[in-house]
Amino acid sequence: MAITPRFFGERGRRRAASLGIEADRLPPGQSPTVKWPVLSLGPTPRVSAEQWILSIDGAVREPYVLDWEAFTAVARTEWEGDIHCVTRWSKFGMRWRGASVRELIERAGPLPSAGHLLAHCHGGYTTNMPLSDVLEHPALIAHEADDAPLEPDHGGPARLLVPHLYLWKSAKWIRRLELLEQDELGFWERNGYHHRGDPWREERYSVDEYVARAVRRRARGA
Ligand SMILES: Nc1nc2c(c(=O)[nH]1)N[C@H]1C(S)=C(S)[C@@H](COP(=O)(O)O)O[C@H]1N2
Ligand SMILES: [Mo]
């Protein structure tokens, strides 16, 4: 729904073709990257595996905390595919390993009223999403990318990975998954970005959400 200047699309498609990436794997307005850019708001927090803990709490029957040993014992889920950043780069054919977010959340017993997730990070970053985005789509607490331990700049020792949404949802240096009954906005969502962020629907900014709603209202004749 975003109004993307045409040249972004054309440039991306040409570059994808030159890299042998099929055109239908490139979301609208994106362009493939070979290197993996680092996008962080602040300095990289240094969190050792020994210090690392993940809390799963909020609207759940049994909140719990995982330490590194308990996490790595359940980190046996793999996901292969492409990631998409709202700043228009996509990185193709990555391999990720970690724990299934759905399994971690189910173990806490989400309340029937829990519909939203707020991810909290070391350093203060937050991002929100509908709970269905991590229960009904592949999502990991990831500690390995492309067969190597996740670099600190990319969120190591572990980050959230929600690959079907723009990458700002994939919270680095994750420390807490908070289930919520009412939605609360994260950092970028409060600062003009879309509340969901589906790259295939080009949900970049909240203004896209506003325009899409207006278009739907008009189509209904309201
Ligand atoms: N904790 C934290 N997580 C974060 C960010 C951040 O600044 N802090 N940036 C987000 C954004 S905007 C993007 S595009 C991706 C970038 O991930 P990368 O640096 O591994 O490419 O991380 C997301 N997760
Ligand atoms: Mo981003």
Side-chain angles (χ1 to χ4, degrees), residues 15 84 99 111 121 181 219:
R15 193 165 152 74
H84 311 289
L111 301 182
C121 307
E181 302 187 330

Side-chain angles (χ1 to χ4, degrees), residues 39 84-87 89 125 166-168 188 193:
L39 280 104
H84 311 289
C85 175
V86 74
T87 60
W89 56 263
Y125 185 86
Y166 282 123
L167 206 58
W168 87 77
W188 284 119
Y193 283 79

Side-chain angles (χ1 to χ4, degrees), residues 25 79-83 91-96:
R25 278 174 70 184
W79 180 85
E80 276 194 46
D82 314 329
I83 60 175
K91 187 164 168 54
F92 287 82
M94 291 195 81
R95 271 185 312 284
W96 291 79

Side-chain angles (χ1 to χ4, degrees), residues 45 47 118-127 158-160 168-177:
V47 186
L118 188 61
H120 301 258
C121 307
H122 291 277
Y125 185 86
T126 52
T127 184
R159 77 184 293 171
L160 179 60
W168 87 77
K169 302 286 183 182
S170 292
K172 304 196 276 190
W173 318 294
I174 189 79
R175 63 175 184 83
R176 179 177 182 207
L177 300 177

